[in-house]
Amino acid sequence: MCGRFAISDTPDDLVRVFDVDTVGEGIPGPNWNVRPTDPIPVVLESKKEGPVVRRLEAARWSLVPSFAKELKLPYPTFNARAEGAAKAGAFRASVASKRALIPADGYYEWHTVGKAKTPYFIHEPGGPLAFAGLYSWWRDRSKADDDPDRWHLTATILTTDATGELADIHDRIPVIVPPEFWSTWLDPDTRGDQSLVDAAVAASRPLVPTLDYYEVGPVNGEGPELIRPIER
């Protein structure tokens, strides 16, 4: 699973990489230790009465479905298992119409042997990654209709079974969407279902062998030193 990740791109970088049309407020800057519930940049597409608009927005990393009564849930939703996501109560509506890309340089995973946990940084040497994400707008009904803080954009990262050498570190991996599948995944005119999620997983498979990984030190703080390889 993906419980921590790193992103060094600025909002301007992301606009260029993802060909964004509009930028929302409060887009977070670089952070090499993104934690669940932290604000993260997400790329999504929307369509009202005109053409499709690709947007860069800030979201809370942990999806809260619209039917939830509180922002803080009793169960984790920063990851969503790709298998069966279209039937899961918390994610079903988002699979159908609220899909996103979550930019990242790479992510951290801990290999566990007994009580020892060794952190690794897993990344694509050639450039940024785009995780398959889902999003949801949650309304705080305790706030007035004209309160600008009544709406919260929240998001999750889809995961799937790890393959190859990465399976030796952990049995799960984020679903990484290749550029040629970005528009298909985001398209607001497409009614998403499990077959679309499965197609995203299939599209991600060729990218997995291209990922590099190495051991890092304790993942504390937020600076770029966190992804420095351990010298042995």
Side-chain angles (χ1 to χ4, degrees):
M1 57 191 261
C2 176
R4 300 281 181 91
F5 68 90
I7 177 168
S8 64
D9 287 319
T10 66
D12 287 344
D13 294 330
L14 298 176
V15 167
R16 183 179 65 257
V17 171
F18 291 93
D19 195 20
V20 167
D21 299 310
T22 65
V23 180
E25 297 181 356
I27 308 300
N31 183 351
W32 285 264
N33 187 11
V34 183
R35 306 167 178 86
T37 74
D38 280 353
I40 60 172
V42 299
V43 177
L44 56 90
E45 289 185 350
S46 62
K47 180 180 180 181
K48 293 184 179 180
E49 296 180 356
V52 172
V53 176
R54 183 168 292 184
R55 298 158 49 190
L56 178 66
E57 300 285 353
R60 177 181 184 270
W61 184 25
S62 282
L63 187 145
V64 181
S66 60
F67 58 78
K69 295 182 179 180
E70 297 182 354
L71 184 61
K72 186 176 181 180
L73 298 176
Y75 49 88
T77 55
F78 56 89
N79 285 164
R81 295 178 69 89
E83 311 91 298
K87 294 183 178 179
F91 308 121
R92 181 170 55 243
S94 296
V95 169
S97 61
K98 296 178 177 63
R99 300 176 300 274
L101 298 173
I102 299 178
D105 288 9
Y107 68 100
Y108 301 96
E109 197 56 83
W110 283 260
H111 178 55
T112 302
V113 178
K115 294 183 178 181
K117 294 186 177 182
T118 303
Y120 286 84
F121 184 62
I122 303 168
H123 67 113
E124 168 55 65
L129 300 173
F131 298 146
L134 306 173
Y135 71 92
S136 177
W137 286 98
W138 181 80
R139 180 175 177 176
D140 185 345
R141 291 175 175 79
S142 69
K143 299 185 182 298
D145 289 347
D146 59 354
D147 190 327
D149 294 328
R150 71 191 184 282
W151 288 103
H152 297 262
L153 179 59
T154 68
T156 188
I157 295 172
L158 288 171
T159 68
T160 188
D161 290 332
T163 57
E165 294 181 2
L166 293 184
D168 294 332
I169 299 175
H170 196 276
D171 62 351
R172 303 292 293 180
I173 185 175
V175 177
I176 301 167
V177 184
E180 62 271 19
F181 202 80
W182 289 356
S183 293
T184 300
W185 180 249
L186 295 177
D187 188 357
D189 288 327
T190 297
R191 182 75 176 175
D193 55 16
Q194 190 60 45
S195 66
L196 180 61
V197 176
D198 294 344
V201 173
S204 76
R205 292 301 187 193
L207 294 179
V208 176
T210 71
L211 299 178
D212 190 16
Y213 63 92
Y214 52 79
E215 184 180 343
V216 294
V219 185
N220 298 317
E222 297 180 352
E225 69 279 358
L226 296 180
I227 63 171
R228 188 176 301 144
I230 290 289
E231 298 291 340
R232 296 295 187 186

